Amino acid sequence: MSGLTRARRTAVAIAATAAAAATALTAASPAGAAPQPIVGGTTTTTGAYPFMMQITDASQDQFCGGTLVSPTKVVTAAHCMVGETPSGVRVVGGRTYLNGTNGTVARVSRIWIHPNYTTATRGEDVAVLTLSTAMPYTTAKYVSSTDTSVYAAGTTARVLGWGTTSSGGSSSNQLRTATVPIVSDTSCGGSYGSDYVKSEMVCAGYSSGGVDTCQGDSGGPLLVGGVLAGITSWGEGCAQAGYPGVYTRLATFSSLVTAQVNS
């Protein structure tokens, strides 16, 4: 079974070519609380999450999310950056609303995509953008290669994004957030079969569905304890029962990301 990526533009391109792909996830409510229909979740601001970046085209039309991990480095999904060039991408910080004009717009000087990336359902869905100018916002910490305990089943995680509030629906003009529980590898493998690569992916969501990331949320953060632990990657539809969102397991790629951050 193959899913859809959660980038606004790449989801369309992938469907047009019938290539295997993955769709961005929407947000969720706390473990133990009833899910609310990012799909689900509540509105928030970039003031509350200053490291949350919009990734846009040169006209500042947002198509993915990203996380500022140093003043000039943004972590996002590889599937967001396939086919993109630095000159055609902008990163926007400090802008809560998609139709806003405030915040800081930075050009991109370099795009690093994991060299083994092919499609989101095969893993390695991680990319790092180098900005031409520094962002004046608080950065996010991210997991180290030994921080595997954050992926324990039932752990509460937070997702963020401007993605659609239903599969194929309209995007949210305001940044949204939700909480979702981490799902066990066994359960996620039962949902996605061989497309789920447990060493490189992690699932989060409710068995009943209702809360998830979705198109436009790709590349955005999965936070555990306020630390970047995953990257919104793909899923079967959005917020469907039995199909939690799939995120890049960042601990697996932490050393590679650090090498890019320090480059």
Side-chain angles (χ1 to χ4, degrees), residues 175-240:
L175 180 64
R176 294 181 68 85
T177 184
T179 57
V180 279
I182 299 295
V183 174
S184 71
D185 290 330
T186 300
S187 179
C188 196
S191 296
Y192 290 111
S194 60
D195 282 340
Y196 179 68
V197 183
K198 67 179 182 180
S199 62
E200 300 182 4
M201 303 172 187
V202 61
C203 284
Y206 295 92
S207 59
S208 58
V211 181
D212 196 6
T213 48
C214 209
Q215 290 87 1
D217 290 322
S218 277
L222 176 81
L223 304 169
V224 176
V227 176
L228 180 64
I231 304 166
T232 300
S233 184
W234 65 281
E236 183 67 26
C238 300
Q240 289 189 31

Side-chain angles (χ1 to χ4, degrees), residues 59-73:
S59 299
Q60 295 182 40
D61 289 327
Q62 185 263 351
F63 60 91
C64 274
T67 305
L68 190 72
V69 296
S70 89
T72 59
K73 303 289 180 174

Side-chain angles (χ1 to χ4, degrees), residues 1 14-15 17 28 35 114-115 124 149 164 172 203 210 214 221 239:
M1 177 186 300
I14 289 167
T17 60
H114 192 291
E124 289 99 19
S149 62
T164 59
S172 174
C203 284
C214 209

Side-chain angles (χ1 to χ4, degrees), residues 78 112-118 123-128 200 252-253 256:
W112 175 85
I113 297 173
H114 192 291
N116 295 334
Y117 175 78
T118 54
E124 289 99 19
D125 194 10
V126 57
V128 179
E200 300 182 4
T252 300
F253 306 102
L256 284 173

Side-chain angles (χ1 to χ4, degrees), residues 11-233:
V12 174
I14 289 167
T17 60
T23 317
L25 300 173
T26 44
S29 59
Q36 303 172 5
I38 234 172
V39 183
T42 58
T43 55
T44 188
T45 68
T46 53
Y49 299 97
F51 47 77
M52 184 67 197
M53 301 284 115
Q54 293 182 28
I55 296 179
T56 78
D57 61 18
S59 299
Q60 295 182 40
D61 289 327
Q62 185 263 351
F63 60 91
C64 274
T67 305
L68 190 72
V69 296
S70 89
T72 59
K73 303 289 180 174
V74 174
V75 171
T76 188
H79 75 260
C80 289
M81 292 296 108
V82 171
E84 302 292 344
T85 61
S87 63
V89 177
R90 303 288 185 271
V91 173
V92 182
R95 185 177 294 176
T96 295
Y97 296 91
L98 292 182
N99 64 356
T101 56
N102 62 320
T104 304
V105 181
R107 290 178 176 267
V108 173
S109 61
R110 183 170 180 264
I111 298 172
W112 175 85
I113 297 173
H114 192 291
N116 295 334
Y117 175 78
T118 54
T119 65
T121 52
R122 293 189 178 183
E124 289 99 19
D125 194 10
V126 57
V128 179
L129 309 184
T130 300
L131 308 182
S132 299
T133 54
M135 283 284 182
Y137 305 110
T138 302
T139 58
K141 294 180 180 180
Y142 60 93
V143 291
S144 72
S145 58
T146 59
D147 289 336
T148 55
S149 62
V150 299
Y151 304 113
T155 301
T156 298
R158 180 169 294 278
V159 290
L160 294 156
W162 290 270
T164 59
T165 54
S166 63
S167 185
S170 300
S171 61
S172 174
N173 185 48
Q174 184 173 354
L175 180 64
R176 294 181 68 85
T177 184
T179 57
V180 279
I182 299 295
V183 174
S184 71
D185 290 330
T186 300
S187 179
C188 196
S191 296
Y192 290 111
S194 60
D195 282 340
Y196 179 68
V197 183
K198 67 179 182 180
S199 62
E200 300 182 4
M201 303 172 187
V202 61
C203 284
Y206 295 92
S207 59
S208 58
V211 181
D212 196 6
T213 48
C214 209
Q215 290 87 1
D217 290 322
S218 277
L222 176 81
L223 304 169
V224 176
V227 176
L228 180 64
I231 304 166
T232 300
S233 184

